[in-house]
Amino acid sequence: MRVGFLAVLFFLAALHPLHGATAQEASPDSRPVVVASKPFGESYLLGEMFAQLLEARGFSVERRLGLGSTQVAFEALRSGAVDVYPEYTGTGLLAILGEDPTGSPSQVFRRVLGEFRDRWGIRWLPPLGFQNTYAISVRSEMAAELDLGTLSDLGGEAPALVGGFSPDFLGRDDGLPGLRETYGMAFRETRSLLQAVKYEALQTGRVDVIDAYSTDGFLARAEVTVLEDDLGFFPPYEAAALVGVRLQDELPGAVAVLTELSGLLREEEMRELNRRLEVEGEPLAEVARSALLGLGLVAGTEEPESGARQLRGRRDGGFLAYLWDRRDETLRQTLRHLLLVGLSLGAALLLAIPGALALERFRFGAEAVIRGVGVIQTLPSIALLAFMIPLFGIGVFPAVVALFLYSLFPILRNTFTGVRDADPVAVSAAEALGMTPLQILRHVRLPLAAPVIMAGVRTAAVINVGTATLAAFIGAGGLGDPIVSGLALSDPWMILSGAIPAALLAVVVDGTLAVGERRVTPRGLKG
């Protein structure tokens, strides 16, 4: 088992350059600037504007849009895995610093500016010019019926209502816990909803209250009422670029370029841009480019760089034409997905099969070890991926490590069980013939256990294909990219353009391994 473990360590160590290779291997004056965002429409849009502005000034850019949450994005920035992402001062004050939501916009900005610089060397650039605060919203019809105008009014009605909130909001001090303490809001039920589906859930009556944003494009179209924060609970949320240490040290010119956006965006302008992106369904790169053109930051003849891929595809010929239009992008994402699955599954095989054979040989404590490995399966996938970021940053390597851990249990359990429970009559006959334990293992137990072992491998492979879609939340790419982007941009076609190939890939991988299972199964067991 020790040899297998060392082999896996060597295997994964060899992979480690895959993580952030471009950022680490390139010289400071030529490496790409890694631009990230969080997984909602406005963050995508601001991140794309950062990227296009840098490209227009001659910088190479690598996009890591759609990172899973505030904590994921900030850890990636702090570790140097990304260089910049759009953040909000109130989020920095409460969600990252854990301080009380007090102060004017300028006071909050000065506070986060100083604390982030002193603690981590991270720099807040001057705000972009608008705030995007939380806008707790209800259906206009219900607001009139219950006479709701303020959050205090909502607090009295909350025990009879269902709230639908983003995952961040459910756990942050400036979210539901704080509202519960300040306004006494105790909802009958709360549901975790992504930003892209909250308005639909509200309009269809599945939830009664949502945490909208003041610059949401949906606010202009949906029949909702934004309730007044009459006790001043929410702090200022000024949008700004948050810049990591490496970019400041290695590419100060890029920091200067990003500062060109400071003070130029207004709330009504952002709401209109968000409406075009989220409601009208205009391509992300086109909306970002038109915004930069309107601000006079790029010339009218400039086109978006190749990195600003038009992910939405052609819409005038139906869904099949849309898929065909995205075929090159889908192929690239499928290959990346196969890379994640293949590397993690290969590493798991290197450790799990020798480990299971060692456990079967000595037996003592085997079940305890296998159950301990099985505990990993109980961890939520996104939580395990997020845990990898402080250790390995973002990208392929941490995703492979997380998927490797998820692959271990089914292979380890099936290999151990298959070898242990190999036909006792055949094993006894081999012993009677004078075969050594190693010969019995090689020529009797392993062949008889082959179908059970391959069943574990097939299970691990299918689990990995599905779980690998979540790797997009830590910038690893794959077929999760269009799923995450589609959820953020309220685009069902984009979601399906990732989900359908992922499902087909799972079927193909399982079918391929089924052929392998048939080939390694002894002839006498094939009936």
Side-chain angles (χ1 to χ4, degrees):
M1 189 170 183
R2 181 179 298 177
V3 173
F5 181 68
L6 291 175
V8 170
L9 286 180
F10 180 79
F11 180 78
L12 291 177
L15 290 178
H16 197 272
L18 286 172
H19 158 58
T22 53
Q24 294 173 3
E25 294 172 2
S27 59
D29 60 347
S30 63
R31 73 167 182 89
V33 180
V34 184
V35 177
S37 80
K38 292 191 282 188
F40 61 94
E42 181 172 284
S43 191
Y44 267 85
L45 179 56
L46 292 175
E48 181 63 27
M49 290 173 68
F50 293 171
Q52 289 193 28
L53 182 59
L54 288 165
E55 288 170 336
R57 299 294 185 269
F59 289 92
S60 175
V61 172
E62 181 178 340
R63 289 164 173 80
R64 297 289 182 88
L65 306 182
L67 298 185
S69 66
T70 296
Q71 287 71 26
V72 170
F74 179 72
E75 283 297 332
L77 184 73
R78 192 170 66 88
S79 68
V82 305
D83 292 312
V84 60
Y85 78 94
E87 189 53 278
Y88 302 88
T89 54
T91 300
L93 181 71
L94 280 86
I96 300 176
L97 295 180
E99 299 189 5
D100 294 333
T102 57
S104 65
S106 60
Q107 289 172 330
V108 170
F109 178 72
R110 287 196 300 270
R111 180 63 180 166
V112 296
L113 178 70
E115 285 297 314
F116 277 63
R117 180 191 60 223
D118 296 342
R119 295 190 192 187
W120 305 293
I122 291 173
R123 179 179 172 186
W124 286 82
L125 298 188
L128 298 172
F130 72 94
Q131 284 196 52
N132 185 8
T133 189
Y134 282 112
I136 305 302
S137 303
V138 299
R139 290 186 300 279
S140 296
E141 177 186 359
M142 191 182 79
E145 180 183 339
L146 299 179
D147 194 23
L148 300 177
T150 67
L151 293 184
S152 292
D153 297 336
L154 181 62
E157 301 290 343
L161 304 178
V162 176
F165 305 112
S166 61
D168 263 6
F169 192 83
L170 287 171
R172 287 167 43 159
D173 289 339
D174 58 338
L176 187 58
L179 287 178
R180 188 180 295 118
E181 182 177 342
T182 303
Y183 289 101
M185 288 187 191
F187 291 99
R188 173 168 61 86
E189 181 184 349
T190 56
R191 298 175 182 173
S192 178
L193 298 175
L194 292 175
Q195 179 68 13
V197 301
K198 281 189 289 192
Y199 283 94
E200 180 182 355
L202 182 68
Q203 293 293 80
T204 57
R206 292 185 176 91
V207 299
D208 302 307
V209 185
I210 62 170
D211 58 318
Y213 300 123
S214 60
T215 56
D216 277 355
F218 286 101
L219 285 177
R221 194 182 79 164
E223 295 179 358
V224 300
T225 296
V226 177
L227 302 180
E228 179 190 351
D229 179 15
D230 51 308
L231 298 183
F233 167 70
F234 292 115
Y237 289 91
E238 292 188 292
L242 197 57
V243 177
V245 176
R246 291 182 63 238
L247 191 66
Q248 300 173 54
D249 293 342
E250 298 176 0
L251 294 172
V255 179
V257 168
L258 292 168
T259 307
E260 295 180 37
L261 270 170
S262 297
L264 296 185
L265 295 169
R266 296 292 177 265
E267 186 171 323
E268 58 274 13
E269 294 168 347
M270 278 309 305
R271 188 179 294 117
E272 172 61 17
L273 292 172
N274 289 333
R275 184 193 63 79
R276 291 172 55 190
L277 179 69
E278 298 174 333
V279 180
E280 302 301 326
E282 293 186 35
L284 172 64
E286 290 182 9
V287 177
R289 180 172 177 267
S290 69
L292 294 174
L293 284 169
L295 296 172
L297 294 177
V298 297
T301 57
E302 294 183 34
E303 294 292 334
E305 297 288 332
S306 59
R309 282 182 280 268
Q310 303 298 312
L311 295 179
R312 288 183 179 266
R314 184 163 51 91
R315 299 297 175 117
D316 55 357
F319 182 62
L320 292 179
Y322 168 82
L323 289 178
W324 178 253
D325 199 45
R326 295 189 75 258
R327 61 191 182 279
D328 292 338
E329 183 69 11
T330 300
L331 177 60
R332 182 188 68 82
Q333 291 163 346
T334 301
L335 293 175
R336 173 59 68 92
H337 209 88
L338 280 171
L339 175 71
L340 296 174
V341 173
L343 293 177
S344 58
L345 192 63
L349 288 169
L350 284 174
L351 179 60
I353 292 180
L357 296 179
L359 290 172
E360 194 281 331
R361 180 75 175 84
F362 299 104
R363 297 289 179 93
F364 179 75
E367 281 297 330
V369 172
I370 294 173
R371 290 194 189 103
V373 173
V375 170
I376 298 173
Q377 301 293 118
T378 67
L379 299 175
S381 306
I382 191 64
L384 184 60
L385 288 165
F387 179 73
M388 293 292 125
I389 293 175
L391 300 175
F392 307 116
I394 64 173
V396 170
F397 183 70
V400 168
V401 173
L403 293 171
F404 155 74
L405 292 174
Y406 269 112
S407 301
L408 286 175
F409 179 69
I411 301 174
L412 186 67
R413 166 60 75 188
N414 279 39
T415 302
F416 176 80
T417 302
V419 172
R420 182 195 62 188
D421 298 341
D423 187 352
V425 174
V427 173
S428 297
E431 291 172 345
L433 291 172
M435 295 176 68
T436 66
L438 184 59
Q439 289 173 327
I440 293 174
L441 174 66
R442 179 180 177 185
H443 298 291
V444 180
R445 289 185 181 274
L446 275 177
L448 291 174
V452 180
I453 295 172
M454 285 302 299
V457 175
R458 291 170 63 180
T459 300
V462 172
I463 289 174
N464 268 16
V465 171
T467 306
T469 58
L470 297 176
F473 281 116
I474 61 169
L479 292 168
D481 272 354
I483 297 174
V484 172
S485 299
L487 288 171
L489 303 176
S490 305
D491 190 334
W493 282 17
M494 188 180 293
I495 295 170
L496 291 174
S497 73
I500 291 175
L504 293 175
L505 184 62
V507 173
V508 170
V509 168
D510 185 60
T512 303
L513 291 173
V515 174
E517 178 183 334
R518 186 75 177 169
R519 292 178 65 89
V520 301
T521 299
R523 186 178 305 170
L525 298 179
K526 288 182 179 179

